[in-house]
Amino acid sequence: MTEPAGNETTLDQLVEQHLPGALRFAVRLTGDPGTAEDILQDALLRVARGWKGFRNEASFRTWLFRIVINVFRSHLDRTSSVERLTADPIDATAIDPADASQLEELQRLVAATVSALPPRQREVFVLLTYEGLTVEEAAEMLGISPANIHSTLHVARTRLREQLAPYFAEQPDE
């Protein structure tokens, strides 16, 4: 990453290194692998066009994810529909099929609830919870303050807790 911006070999290496994470991030934002691939393709076009202007002020990952977020927002503006997130696949051999079915249903429910969050709350929640970014990294990526990240995350978690509470309430013994 120490090579000067504009070097095509470096761009190829950086894209190859960060492509799986960017695709995973796009899938979690959109809830649909096909849509995520479209968003990532548009983002990669923007990366290629803007590569000569990349000044290494942020990490390449931060810059790439920021572009993915911008393309995602443009997609939301165009479609004005919110799609559900897909859960990570389950290793069906690791657990009982009945438990696997229940777990898969729960994952779909949680993913759908997360994807129904307003876009900013979803971005903050996904970046911190699924992508493991720090508050500072997410703030830089989204162009907002760390305090705003904290408050947005709190609102998102509260909303998720309220919406998912009925599914986690203890059932009385029959």
Side-chain angles (χ1 to χ4, degrees):
M1 230 174 3
T2 59
E3 294 183 42
N7 182 316
E8 289 181 29
T9 304
T10 301
L11 176 60
D12 290 345
Q13 290 170 345
L14 289 170
V15 167
E16 186 176 327
Q17 178 183 358
H18 295 285
L19 190 60
L23 179 58
R24 186 177 57 248
F25 178 56
V27 168
R28 287 180 171 145
L29 285 176
T30 64
D32 176 64
T35 303
E37 288 176 359
D38 291 343
I39 285 175
L40 188 56
Q41 182 177 1
D42 289 349
L44 291 174
L45 285 172
R46 290 184 187 186
V47 165
R49 288 184 195 130
W51 177 239
K52 289 189 188 334
F54 179 64
R55 297 180 303 264
N56 287 324
E57 292 174 358
S59 73
F60 181 80
R61 179 177 186 239
T62 300
W63 185 60
L64 174 61
F65 277 37
R66 174 86 182 203
I67 292 170
V68 170
I69 288 168
N70 290 337
V71 173
F72 166 69
R73 289 176 181 170
S74 296
H75 173 77
L76 283 181
D77 290 343
R78 283 193 311 272
T79 62
S80 70
S81 68
V82 178
E83 300 169 342
R84 67 174 186 80
L85 292 171
T86 56
D88 290 334
I90 300 171
D91 179 3
T93 62
I95 58 175
D96 176 59
D99 291 340
S101 177
Q102 287 179 336
L103 180 58
E104 187 176 323
E105 183 178 336
L106 179 61
Q107 286 177 326
R108 278 195 299 269
L109 173 67
V110 171
T113 306
V114 169
S115 71
L117 289 170
R120 175 56 57 94
Q121 290 176 22
R122 186 180 342 164
E123 292 163 2
V124 169
F125 186 81
V126 168
L127 285 171
L128 274 75
T129 304
Y130 292 110
E131 296 303 322
L133 268 64
T134 65
V135 169
E136 291 74 20
E137 291 170 328
E140 178 184 339
M141 191 176 293
L142 296 172
I144 59 179
S145 71
N148 194 314
I149 292 287
H150 283 291
S151 65
T152 302
L153 182 61
H154 175 74
V155 170
R157 285 178 175 164
T158 300
R159 181 173 282 178
L160 289 171
R161 191 175 301 114
E162 289 170 356
Q163 292 177 350
L164 294 171
Y167 300 98
F168 293 99
E170 292 203 21
Q171 302 296 320
D173 291 335
E174 296 184 28

